[in-house]
Amino acid sequence: AKMQVEHQVARLIVELSASQDDEIGDGTTGVVVLAGALLEQAEKLLDKGIHPVRVAEGFEQACSIAVDHLAEISTVREFTLEDPEPLVLTAMTTLSSKIIKS
C-alpha cells in the first residue's frame, strides 16, 4: 500500500527511502536522516538569503568532494569463485549489525 503524502518535501523523502530500499534493500533510515539534515542546513542558508540554486550547487559540489574522498579511502577486496572468502567476510562484517544473536 502506498502512503498518501501531500507535502512535496515529505513526498520526496518517501521516494528517496523507497528508492534506497528498492536498489539496496537496506539503509532507508540513513537516507531519511541524511535528507533531513541536508534540508535543515538548506533552510538555514535560505534564511540567510542565499538563492536556492546556489544551495543546490553547493550540495552538488560537496557530494562530488565526498565521492572523490570515498574513492581515495576505499579498499578493493578481490574474490573469485574459487576463493569467495573475502566476499563472505565482507558480507559478514556488513550484515553483523543486522543479525540478532539468540
Side-chain angles (χ1 to χ4, degrees):
K2 283 202 168 194
M3 186 174 12
Q4 295 299 317
V5 181
E6 296 299 323
H7 195 278
Q8 289 181 348
V9 173
R11 186 179 311 126
L12 175 63
I13 291 175
V14 169
E15 289 173 7
L16 283 170
S17 179
S19 176
Q20 177 73 12
D21 192 43
D22 290 346
E23 292 293 320
I24 308 297
D26 192 23
T28 55
T29 301
V31 166
V32 171
V33 170
L34 178 59
L38 290 172
L39 288 169
E40 185 178 337
Q41 294 306 311
E43 184 177 37
K44 291 177 184 177
L45 295 171
L46 295 172
D47 288 347
K48 289 181 178 182
I50 298 173
H51 194 277
V53 172
R54 298 282 296 174
V55 173
E57 289 171 349
F59 281 177
E60 287 179 15
Q61 186 176 3
C63 178
S64 178
I65 292 167
V67 168
D68 290 346
H69 183 68
L70 287 172
E72 288 176 22
I73 66 171
S74 65
T75 303
V76 174
R77 300 284 182 216
E78 300 291 337
F79 68 93
T80 63
L81 287 175
E82 294 76 28
D83 182 23
E85 186 175 359
L87 178 63
V88 172
L89 291 173
T90 301
M92 287 174 59
T93 300
T94 303
L95 297 173
S96 65
S97 67
K98 297 292 180 186
I99 298 172
I100 299 173
K101 296 178 181 169
S102 51

